Amino acid sequence: MQRRYDIEKVKLGDRKAFKDFFCHFYPKMMAVASRFVDEEEAKDLVQDIFCSFWERRTSLQAHDVESFLYKWLRNRCLNHLKHQEVVNTHKSEVRIAEERVRFMDERSDHNPIFSQIQAQELRRRIEEAIEKLPPKCARAFRLFYFQGLSQKEIARVMGISVRTVEGHIQQAMRSLRKELKDLSILVIWLLLTS
């Protein structure tokens, strides 16, 4: 089968050659990525590979371009799945914390005045910790946890990729855990979900 693209022209920055290269590999790479992730995520991952390939085209030394692209894509898919596993584990921890909070709220000796004072103090400490975050990171965190926007909605609002939003939220959680390590994670989630 004759190759429909010229890799040397692609490396030299020829956009027509890159378009032919893209058209040749895109369906095949989508088929591979779709074995690992859903169609939307597959599109994002495949497009990221092509963007990265274009940006690095002059420095890439792959002899077998096809094999190189598939390995690159496979690694991206696996890294994405590992990341999703971390996110899902985190969501599970949040659900457990929410159940504990609900249990505490239902206790008969629950004192609403004491709880309100305690909540205000904790809220103040959390706000101070959020203020120390980089601005975009803090904004993504607030939109996600305080306003309840999905990561896709945040990406649209902030004009960044979903993956960047995920990174901002993870960075915020790491920083807040360090900053608020003396507070119970249960109480932190009480405030973040209220």
Side-chain angles (χ1 to χ4, degrees):
M1 180 175 154
Q2 187 177 3
R3 206 165 65 177
R4 294 181 292 170
Y5 62 92
D6 183 336
I7 194 62
E8 293 309 317
K9 286 185 177 179
V10 171
K11 287 183 177 182
L12 291 171
D14 184 314
R15 292 183 183 276
K16 163 86 170 73
F18 184 72
K19 182 180 177 191
D20 293 341
F21 175 79
F22 177 87
C23 290
H24 178 79
F25 282 110
Y26 184 80
K28 297 175 184 181
M29 291 182 68
M30 277 298 295
V32 170
S34 295
R35 292 180 193 160
F36 293 94
V37 296
D38 68 37
E39 189 177 350
E40 278 305 306
E41 289 168 332
K43 284 179 186 175
D44 286 346
L45 292 169
V46 170
Q47 287 173 10
D48 280 352
I49 295 288
F50 280 109
C51 288
S52 294
F53 187 92
W54 177 256
E55 289 167 2
R56 301 177 191 176
R57 67 189 179 279
T58 56
S59 61
L60 293 175
Q61 298 297 317
H63 298 292
D64 181 354
V65 173
E66 188 165 356
S67 174
F68 176 76
L69 284 174
Y70 293 137
K71 283 180 186 170
W72 196 359
L73 177 61
R74 186 197 66 202
N75 290 339
R76 278 279 175 97
C77 289
L78 292 174
N79 287 339
H80 176 77
L81 290 171
K82 286 176 190 170
H83 170 74
Q84 283 306 113
E85 190 176 329
V86 169
V87 169
N88 291 338
T89 300
H90 180 69
K91 286 180 182 174
S92 174
E93 289 170 358
V94 171
R95 278 194 292 274
I96 291 167
E98 287 173 343
E99 286 302 316
R100 290 179 181 161
V101 168
R102 222 178 328 282
F103 172 77
M104 285 171 54
D105 282 346
E106 291 170 1
R107 286 178 40 196
S108 59
D109 61 345
H110 183 68
N111 182 332
I113 295 171
F114 177 74
S115 294
Q116 187 176 4
I117 292 167
Q118 198 175 31
Q120 287 171 350
E121 173 62 18
L122 289 170
R123 222 178 269 276
R124 182 190 62 74
R125 294 236 359 238
I126 290 172
E127 267 307 316
E128 286 173 359
I130 292 170
E131 287 298 319
K132 294 178 183 177
L133 295 171
K136 287 184 179 180
C137 185
R139 184 174 182 211
F141 181 82
R142 283 189 173 106
L143 290 171
F144 188 72
Y145 283 104
F146 295 143
Q147 295 184 22
L149 269 61
S150 72
Q151 291 181 357
K152 282 187 178 180
E153 290 169 328
I154 295 168
R156 274 195 300 271
V157 168
M158 293 182 66
I160 56 178
S161 73
V162 173
R163 217 165 282 112
T164 303
V165 171
E166 289 173 2
H168 283 322
I169 291 169
Q170 284 181 345
Q171 180 186 352
M173 288 307 299
R174 280 193 302 270
S175 296
L176 291 176
R177 275 193 205 110
K178 283 181 191 169
E179 189 72 28
L180 303 169
K181 63 184 171 202
D182 59 317
L183 299 179
S184 160
I185 189 69
L186 177 63
V187 179
I188 292 169
W189 283 117
L190 167 66
L191 295 175
L192 295 179
T193 57
S194 60

